[in-house]
Amino acid sequence: MLNVYLFQILNGLGLGMIYFLTSVGLTIIFGLLNFVNFAHGAFFLIGSYLCFTVVAATGNFWAALVAGPLIAGAIAWVTERVLVRRVYHLPHTFQILITLGIALIIQESAIMIWGPVGKSVPPPEMLKGVVRFGNFAYPEYRLFMIGFAALVGFALWLLLERTTFGAKVRAGSENPEQVALLGTNIYRLFSATFALGVALAGLAGVLSAPLRGAHPFVGTEVLGIAFVTVVIGGMGSFGGALVGGLLVGLVQSLMTSIWPQGASLMIYGAMAAVILLRPYGLFGRA
């Protein structure tokens, strides 16, 4: 029984890191742009289908790991310049409507290109085995996913906290007009930030594809969990996205063993508990 719970805890950490990568992009976009991106889950979908396509064409998962977030980010950069930029100054209602439209376009395009049936993606050949600790065994790919997502998270923290770009993003989230007056092209910064946040969602889609495959309705599911993660951690908080993602992943995974029918319910229960105790999230600011 102990091995079962240890297995589920490690699964929860893996899920949590996927949720972290997805939600941290969402919270970065909101923190700088004050923009509610309801198309975020659709770019996760793009990442998972790009992983399937690249692996099916080349057999190389590592190429997909590079191509997925880059292509998702490039699509986001174009989308931001053509559509999203036009509604920054409008109320959140308009932002939600336009991004929901983008999400539906991406979802229906995926169905037209790849069909309505989900696609399975094999893990890379070198990570198909298991790691044994005594009588406990755990898949190598899941351990790789936890470690790789942690490295990406650390690199992202360095980017946001130790570089000029990160300083501009943090300053722009507080006072974009002043940053613009200091000579920064604020719209170029917006485009780069939007593309970065979406690329992280695409990367999460690539990493999750060998576990859950790619199917056209994954975007809606992931979007809901991303918003739950952001609400728990606090909107605009990097640390909140990490803690919220891990909390949601662990709750979902452990409840799968304890109460399978209520696993999804307990995610929202955890969110409700946090809201009651801290309405702005664990690391949010009033």
Side-chain angles (χ1 to χ4, degrees):
M1 181 61 70
L2 181 62
N3 282 351
V4 172
Y5 286 114
L6 180 58
F7 191 90
Q8 292 298 343
I9 289 172
L10 288 174
N11 279 351
L13 291 176
L15 280 175
M17 294 308 293
I18 292 295
Y19 297 157
F20 160 67
L21 289 178
T22 307
S23 62
V24 75
L26 189 66
T27 201
I28 288 172
I29 291 170
F30 184 86
L32 174 62
L33 281 61
N34 193 29
F35 183 83
V36 183
N37 181 21
F38 269 68
H40 203 69
F43 288 100
F44 181 101
L45 179 152
I46 288 176
S48 62
Y49 270 113
L50 286 173
C51 181
F52 163 76
T53 302
V54 173
V55 170
T58 67
N60 191 333
F61 172 81
W62 310 110
L65 195 60
V66 175
L70 287 179
I71 294 174
I75 294 172
W77 186 81
V78 174
T79 303
E80 191 275 341
R81 292 179 68 87
V82 174
L83 290 174
V84 172
R85 182 176 295 184
R86 302 175 185 273
V87 296
Y88 282 150
H89 63 286
L90 297 177
H92 288 318
T93 306
F94 294 91
Q95 299 173 5
I96 292 171
L97 287 174
I98 194 168
T99 51
L100 276 176
I102 293 170
L104 289 173
I105 290 171
I106 292 173
Q107 178 179 294
E108 294 305 313
S109 298
I111 292 174
M112 288 191 294
I113 296 171
W114 291 285
V117 179
K119 307 293 184 182
S120 61
V121 180
E125 194 65 34
M126 64 183 295
L127 296 175
K128 284 186 175 180
V130 297
V131 176
R132 294 191 177 275
F133 304 95
N135 63 346
F136 177 75
Y138 196 74
E140 290 180 356
Y141 178 76
R142 289 179 179 266
L143 288 176
F144 159 78
M145 184 180 69
I146 295 171
F148 183 78
L151 284 176
V152 171
F154 179 66
L156 180 64
W157 179 82
L158 290 177
L159 176 66
L160 295 176
E161 297 291 335
R162 296 289 187 268
T163 67
T164 302
F165 172 78
K168 290 178 179 178
V169 169
R170 286 182 282 112
S173 66
E174 300 289 339
N175 195 329
E177 292 82 7
Q178 186 173 353
V179 173
L181 288 173
L182 291 173
T184 297
N185 186 324
I186 197 70
Y187 286 108
R188 187 177 299 170
L189 180 65
F190 284 177
S191 297
T193 304
F194 191 84
L196 172 63
V198 165
L200 290 168
L203 176 62
V206 173
L207 288 172
S208 71
L211 300 180
R212 61 190 305 171
H215 62 87
F217 305 106
V218 69
T220 303
E221 176 187 345
V222 167
L223 179 66
I225 293 177
F227 272 111
V228 168
T229 301
V230 168
V231 169
I232 289 175
M235 187 67 80
S237 170
F238 179 92
L242 176 60
V243 173
L246 292 175
L247 178 62
V248 170
L250 287 169
V251 168
Q252 185 177 20
S253 183
L254 288 172
M255 290 306 300
T256 300
S257 295
I258 300 170
W259 184 28
Q261 299 86 348
S264 297
L265 174 65
M266 290 307 298
I267 295 175
Y268 297 96
M271 180 184 71
V274 169
I275 290 175
L276 287 174
L277 296 173
R278 291 186 61 87
Y280 294 98
L282 296 175
F283 295 88
R285 292 173 294 180

